[in-house]
Amino acid sequence: MILIPLYALLIVYAVFLLACAGFFVVNVGNVVRSGTFTFASFLATFLFMAGVAVVVWFTWYTLQGVDWTQSIFSIGSANLTL
Amino acid sequence: MNLSECIRQKSYERIEHQVRRHLITLVPGFIIFLLLLALPLGVAWLLRAIFPGLETSGTLFPIIILFGSAYYIAVMLFFYSYFLDFYLDLLVVTNDRLIDMEQVGVFARRTSEVDLYKIQDITSEVKGVFASLFDYGDLLVQTAGAVERFIVTGIPHPDKLRQEILDMASEDRKYHQK
């Protein structure tokens, strides 16, 4: 019986954040390469980064007291429980 | 890199216009963005009504918060990319040529250009209620060059721009016929 711990989701979340960071870097690269680094593109980039910072902070703040070692579900057991 | 470097501006060339799509063309995407932002609030309200003890659930609560967090980041990234797709589409009109730079999604970019003297015909088209109200529309440029047709969509004051490009093309033609 294999137990899947809750922190496995944190790893998936971190991978997702890395993928988003990759997309963000490509987008910023497009702005720089197209010669359109103006106040509007700066503002959009700043607002996006601020929004992501707020969401990540809220996530961290809400999940502070969570015990990440508890298991979500187990593979191989008769019952699948959450 | 600035725009002059990007379009490899020639020494005698001066930029007359930089035209982007009308801001109003962003509105549908912005409304979808707001709806997508509001959606989890409705879902959260529904979940609370159906499962009153959800916030005290040991494993389900962090799963929902992590999923919600990823959802919001994805929606913001989607709108950021959508805005850049709008903002990086640029028609540059110089006294020598038309350069159309188009961002196609996140990973593709298309740039085409035509010399003004090769322009054969330009059609401006304002179609629809909003387009008529806010005076935006499409510009179709027929050329004798490699790119036979230039289509620029959703630009403000297309009729005025058509006239200005035609005047500049006529001036450029005089110079090239000498």
Side-chain angles (χ1 to χ4, degrees):
Chain A
M1 194 169 73
I2 305 164
L3 296 172
I4 306 290
L6 197 54
Y7 64 75
L9 284 180
L10 275 184
I11 296 167
V12 174
Y13 183 72
V15 170
F16 171 78
L17 284 186
L18 277 176
C20 285
F23 270 96
F24 173 69
V25 168
V26 172
N27 272 325
V28 172
N30 286 336
V31 172
V32 173
R33 266 184 284 126
S34 61
T36 46
F37 199 70
T38 59
F39 178 70
S41 57
F42 168 77
L43 187 69
T45 307
F46 176 79
L47 286 177
F48 170 73
M49 287 172 76
V52 171
V54 167
V55 169
V56 171
W57 177 82
F58 177 80
T59 308
W60 170 79
Y61 183 78
T62 315
L63 300 179
Q64 270 182 89
V66 173
D67 173 18
W68 294 100
T69 54
Q70 60 183 318
S71 58
I72 317 168
F73 57 80
S74 52
I75 295 169
S77 74
N79 300 312
L80 183 77
T81 51
L82 277 170
Chain B
M1 188 185 273
N2 59 31
L3 189 62
S4 301
E5 288 170 332
C6 201
I7 64 167
R8 295 198 177 112
Q9 190 174 0
K10 296 159 191 164
S11 56
Y12 59 87
E13 200 175 22
R14 59 172 193 278
I15 296 172
E16 300 283 350
H17 295 283
Q18 290 179 46
V19 187
R20 288 192 169 85
R21 276 185 279 149
H22 198 290
L23 209 58
I24 201 87
T25 57
L26 256 187
V27 170
F30 189 66
I31 291 170
I32 292 171
F33 174 64
L34 291 181
L35 287 174
L36 289 174
L37 284 187
L39 187 70
L41 300 177
V43 173
W45 177 82
L46 206 68
L47 283 175
R48 272 196 189 136
I50 298 169
F51 309 106
L54 191 68
E55 275 146 48
T56 53
S57 161
T59 51
L60 202 55
F61 182 65
I63 292 171
I64 290 171
I65 292 292
L66 282 181
F67 182 77
S69 172
Y71 172 84
Y72 271 116
I73 291 170
V75 167
M76 282 190 289
L77 186 63
F78 162 75
F79 190 69
Y80 179 62
S81 303
Y82 178 78
F83 172 78
L84 289 185
D85 196 353
F86 158 83
Y87 197 71
L88 300 187
D89 285 356
L90 184 65
L91 175 73
V92 182
V93 186
T94 74
N95 59 336
D96 187 52
R97 56 198 168 130
L98 281 185
I99 304 134
D100 182 31
M101 297 188 282
E102 193 182 350
Q103 186 67 36
V104 189
V106 178
F107 295 102
R109 188 160 175 80
R110 185 168 46 223
T111 304
S112 38
E113 66 175 69
V114 62
D115 290 317
L116 286 181
Y117 75 92
K118 285 183 181 167
I119 291 175
Q120 292 177 323
D121 181 43
I122 309 181
T123 309
S124 61
E125 200 173 71
V126 177
K127 210 161 59 179
V129 179
F130 283 104
S132 302
L133 276 175
F134 294 100
D135 191 21
Y136 69 92
D138 305 342
L139 207 65
L140 291 89
V141 183
Q142 288 278 352
T143 78
V147 184
E148 286 182 0
R149 258 181 103 171
F150 247 71
I151 303 172
V152 191
T153 55
I155 56 165
H157 319 299
D159 197 44
K160 191 176 161 218
L161 187 65
R162 178 184 63 89
Q163 198 53 57
E164 285 181 20
I165 294 172
L166 280 175
D167 291 345
M168 281 192 284
S170 159
E171 283 297 312
D172 198 40
R173 218 169 282 126
K174 280 180 206 163
Y175 174 78
H176 280 275
Q177 279 167 354
K178 275 179 193 172

